[in-house]
Amino acid sequence: MVTVFSPQGPTLRELAVQALSSTEHGYDLLAPAFDRTPFRTPAVVLDAVAAALRPLGPFDSGLDVCCGTGAGIGMLRELCGQRVVGVDFSAGMLGVARSAHCTGEAPGDPAVHLVRADARRLPFRPAFDLAVSFGAFGHFLPRERPALFRQVHGALRPGGRFAFPIGAPPKVFSRGYWALLGFDAAMRVRNALWRPRFIMYYRTFPLAGVLNDLAGAGFAVELLPLPGLGRRPDGAPRARLVVARRAAAR
């Protein structure tokens, strides 16, 4: 069997079956090999985000929205003193996260809990100081963003923060620009012709629209550079951290 990305990565057949499945079932199928694909959030991104968030703490409770196999959970365990919760709708991805993060906790480590739920209907009261999300927003259509952000807002305590990295868009006519455009076009054709749909788009999360939707959900937003991820030739950062803050109680 021909594997992709690494000797332990998914096979071509497995990727094809995933691509023809629903979003949820596709990730259930990919879960065992997910961390051996380029889709897992790289450590350099997690380290850059952690470095930007650490001065904003301390944090007691953290929430990883659409946690997948738990890359963000590991980061939150370093930042949060009491509790870390990961939420995802894929049972397969949660199973991998559970094996990685819910065994062998040392004394003094924050408790880790995993919850299976749709991020558009989070089952939490305002209990978290910090929420993060990595690599998941392409799975939500633009019209779903306002409700998603309201759900996260409702899970945060007053003064709590919702943070996620966002990359600078590739320059028009660059190889990256056309690669993302081609991928999204292929997904639109696939979803027009095949059911169930697999929702994953790269060009449906523009910064201006995201900031507008965050403000509409009740957040005050600031952008922090992530210098650890490099700079573009014009000196601008290649990525920024969006930090959306729920208003503190009066």
Side-chain angles (χ1 to χ4, degrees):
M1 300 288 285
V2 178
T3 60
V4 183
F5 307 125
S6 74
Q8 295 78 38
T11 66
L12 286 172
R13 180 182 181 279
E14 287 170 339
L15 285 177
V17 172
Q18 182 216 9
L20 295 175
S21 303
S22 68
T23 315
E24 178 181 345
H25 186 52
Y27 276 99
D28 287 343
L29 294 172
L30 185 60
F34 183 83
D35 285 348
R36 294 182 290 277
T37 73
F39 309 130
R40 187 184 194 274
T41 303
V44 65
V45 174
L46 298 170
D47 291 344
V49 170
L53 287 174
R54 196 168 285 114
L56 304 180
F59 306 104
D60 290 332
S61 298
L63 175 66
D64 188 358
V65 181
C66 305
C67 66
T69 57
I73 291 174
M75 186 200 74
L76 287 175
R77 292 178 72 179
E78 298 178 3
L79 294 176
C80 300
Q82 296 182 5
R83 180 176 65 133
V84 173
V85 175
V87 60
D88 202 281
F89 72 167
S90 167
M93 300 290 271
L94 289 173
V96 176
R98 185 170 290 107
S99 297
H101 296 288
C102 295
T103 59
E105 294 177 10
D109 284 353
V112 177
H113 305 281
L114 297 175
V115 177
R116 187 182 181 194
D118 190 320
R120 293 164 294 194
R121 292 179 290 277
L122 291 176
F124 305 120
R125 59 184 178 83
F128 298 96
D129 305 300
L130 174 64
V132 298
S133 192
F134 295 94
F137 295 122
H139 298 304
F140 299 93
L141 297 172
R143 65 175 179 271
E144 297 174 313
R145 276 201 315 261
L148 171 66
F149 291 163
R150 287 195 297 270
Q151 288 291 300
V152 178
H153 185 275
L156 291 169
R157 293 176 178 144
R161 292 176 170 90
F162 176 33
F164 52 87
I166 188 166
K171 297 288 188 180
V172 178
F173 303 125
S174 68
R175 183 179 301 176
Y177 177 90
W178 289 104
L180 298 183
L181 183 67
F183 180 91
D184 281 10
M187 289 302 298
R188 291 186 186 282
V189 172
R190 179 257 187 241
N191 287 329
L193 299 177
W194 189 267
R195 292 292 185 273
R197 296 187 302 170
F198 189 95
I199 302 301
M200 179 61 215
Y201 299 108
Y202 284 104
R203 301 178 70 252
T204 56
F205 202 70
L207 181 59
V210 168
L211 296 180
N212 184 64
D213 290 341
L214 286 167
F219 286 108
V221 185
E222 63 177 324
L223 298 175
L224 303 179
L226 293 174
L229 299 182
R231 293 188 176 275
R232 299 172 65 157
D234 62 2
R238 292 190 180 277
R240 290 181 169 90
L241 186 66
V242 177
V243 181
R245 188 171 184 268
R246 176 171 178 169
R250 294 183 178 181

